[in-house]
Amino acid sequence: MTVFDMPAPLSTLTQSLFDRAVTWIARGDRGLPSSAIWHHMMEVPYDGGAERRHYPNRLDDFTRCVLLLDLIPEWRERLREMRAYSPGWAGLIARWPELEAELRDRCGGKLDTFLIAPALEREIRRAIAQGFVNDPHFSVALKPDGTLHRAYPRDAREMMK
């Protein structure tokens, strides 16, 4: 199948971007969050659609997302579109440049999904929590370290009373 055989949204991509995207989905180191980015950017339906809400709440998943954006840097400027899927994405996108810079600094130039950096992972989770805190549709409980304990949609919480 060539780019010309694909549905309209895909046929507008450059061959180079399309080739990189197909290579990544076929052979890349994927997790649910990086796959969510891929499906959104490629405008390819995701089974059930709910999976796009999966944001990277672990360092290995965040690293996979950064690796995907390194492979397809054209998507980096569109990353803010992921905010529409959940408050977790919104919180991460607000701090993405800072978190990515910290990741790169800790990896010393070579990104590795096996990096162990508890402080950075906690910052990723704090960014997610802040996204829920900032969303008026959610009632949030935080852990003492500022990470998310739980978040309830406010209308669901009202029904539980």
Side-chain angles (χ1 to χ4, degrees):
M1 180 176 282
T2 69
V3 69
F4 303 106
D5 300 320
M6 301 304 283
L10 297 179
S11 66
T12 61
L13 300 175
T14 65
Q15 184 70 38
S16 175
L17 188 153
F18 180 80
D19 286 346
R20 285 177 282 145
V22 169
T23 299
W24 183 85
I25 200 67
R27 294 186 294 223
D29 182 9
R30 299 187 320 257
L32 289 174
S34 55
S35 293
I37 293 171
W38 188 93
H39 280 82
H40 172 78
M41 299 299 177
M42 293 294 289
E43 299 180 22
V44 173
Y46 212 176
D47 292 337
E51 289 82 0
R52 291 189 191 193
R53 290 192 307 253
H54 288 288
Y55 43 81
N57 68 344
R58 295 188 334 253
L59 186 55
D60 59 334
D61 278 329
F62 183 77
T63 303
R64 286 182 191 96
C65 292
V66 171
L67 288 167
L68 172 60
L69 296 172
D70 283 353
L71 180 65
I72 309 174
E74 297 92 332
W75 290 351
R76 195 173 290 282
E77 66 190 45
R78 294 183 51 211
L79 188 60
R80 67 184 174 279
E81 295 171 18
M82 297 303 293
R83 295 180 300 191
Y85 292 110
S86 76
W89 272 114
L92 278 168
I93 300 305
R95 292 189 54 202
W96 195 278
E98 165 198 345
L99 295 169
E100 183 177 334
E102 179 68 20
L103 172 66
R104 290 182 186 285
D105 187 51
R106 288 182 183 263
C107 286
K110 175 146 175 47
L111 295 182
D112 183 357
T113 57
F114 296 107
L115 175 71
I116 298 172
L120 178 54
E121 190 160 297
R122 188 172 35 257
E123 286 307 309
I124 289 168
R125 291 182 177 166
R126 284 180 179 154
I128 292 164
Q130 197 59 49
F132 280 94
V133 167
N134 292 341
D135 191 313
H137 301 102
F138 283 86
S139 180
V140 176
L142 299 178
K143 295 178 185 176
D145 66 356
T147 61
L148 193 63
H149 178 62
R150 71 178 133 236
Y152 294 108
R154 288 194 188 272
D155 56 352
R157 194 155 166 87
E158 291 300 317
M159 292 187 310
M160 293 177 5
K161 288 184 180 179

